[in-house]
Amino acid sequence: MEYLRTDYHVHPDYSIDAAPVKIREYCEKALELDIKEICFTTHVELDPARRDMDNFVYLNGEKVSAFNYVWLDNYFEEIARAQDEFEHGDLKVKAGIEIGYNQGCEIHVEYIVNNYPFDFVMGAIHCLDHIAISSMKESPRYFQNKSLKELRDEYFTILMEMVKTGFFDCVAHVDLYIRYGIRVYGSDIFTVHRGAVEPVFEEMARRRMGLEINTSSRHRGLEEFHPTEEILDLAVKSGIEVYTVGSDAHSLDILGCYIDEALKILKERNLRNHVYTRRKATPF
Ligand SMILES: [Zn+2]
Ligand SMILES: [Zn+2]
């Protein structure tokens, strides 16, 4: 079976940490790379405790509150224009979002996912204790003050809560804590999931949620993708059948990177890559 290229994790210029690259430019590059379907996943963090740091998006080059939903109208219009322009060619364009989950954000997430016609809603844990563990600068403040057991308890507890909200179609980079955790905990970080991730995967399987293979780890000096193959095998064993692949591109040069390798990992396990239309997954 042929595994066609998709990139289901792309940050256009709305994300505050992304390069000023327009949706249209990503689509052109996707055509060049023979990517058949691209899903934009602008990143929002809705933790009120980090309001002054994170709760923003860029709209036409200006920083606006992520709670000012005018940006979403603009985002959907821009995606619709790209759909018109590129779908006669060979590229399908989808509207997605990556939402950083934390306790207290549910009311905002509910509003966003119920009021906009997303194809794909991805959930991610970027923060623990209101500290961004995804950030090189901030993460030592969390990791250096927590034992591995505390990290494990806190991360997998919040991950399970996120899954059980029912708001999300798919979990992004499920072992993101490895990215900078490895600097503090060393190789023990690679086994911390054992016994903790399985119940989460079983819950995801019951809900037919997807799991993302995120290739961004490779640019950051890690040998494996998110998740590692050991964790992926636990997902398979737990019954998860829906997988997506994403580069987590924040700039044009990263689009599609290592996607072929991610597809190979799926193929080796007889798993199918998936795409989403209006929140419904289909094998691709
Ligand atoms: Zn993320
Ligand atoms: Zn991302």
Side-chain angles (χ1 to χ4, degrees), residues 9 98 124 126 173 248:
H9 195 146
E98 177 183 19
H126 295 115
H173 47 57
D248 213 341

Side-chain angles (χ1 to χ4, degrees), residues 41-158:
T41 53
T42 289
H43 172 198
V44 291
E45 288 292 324
L46 303 167
D47 178 2
R50 292 174 60 85
R51 187 173 275 273
D52 297 332
M53 283 183 278
D54 282 342
N55 300 166
F56 300 102
V57 292
Y58 273 117
L59 176 58
N60 300 320
E62 295 214 9
K63 211 168 168 181
V64 299
S65 165
F67 301 106
N68 172 359
Y69 298 125
V70 173
W71 78 268
L72 275 165
D73 298 328
N74 205 278
Y75 182 56
F76 275 92
E77 280 165 26
E78 202 176 333
I79 287 174
R81 282 198 298 277
Q83 286 167 339
D84 283 348
E85 182 175 349
F86 291 92
E87 290 193 358
H88 308 294
D90 222 2
L91 178 69
K92 277 215 156 65
V93 181
K94 294 289 178 64
I97 189 165
E98 177 183 19
I99 300 178
Y101 176 77
N102 46 67
Q103 284 160 330
C105 75
E106 292 84 351
I107 187 168
H108 305 294
V109 179
E110 190 172 18
Y111 181 85
I112 289 173
V113 302
N114 287 339
N115 286 279
Y116 289 87
F118 285 105
D119 291 304
F120 183 54
V121 176
M122 201 159 39
I125 309 292
H126 295 115
C127 295
L128 293 174
D129 271 2
H130 312 292
I131 299 168
I133 60 162
S134 54
S135 148
M136 181 155 52
K137 216 169 110 215
E138 279 187 49
S139 60
R141 200 148 57 82
Y142 180 85
F143 292 131
Q144 285 171 1
N145 292 310
K146 299 282 180 178
S147 68
L148 203 53
K149 185 182 177 306
E150 286 170 313
L151 162 66
R152 167 197 163 101
D153 289 349
E154 291 178 14
Y155 185 85
F156 290 103
T157 300
I158 190 118

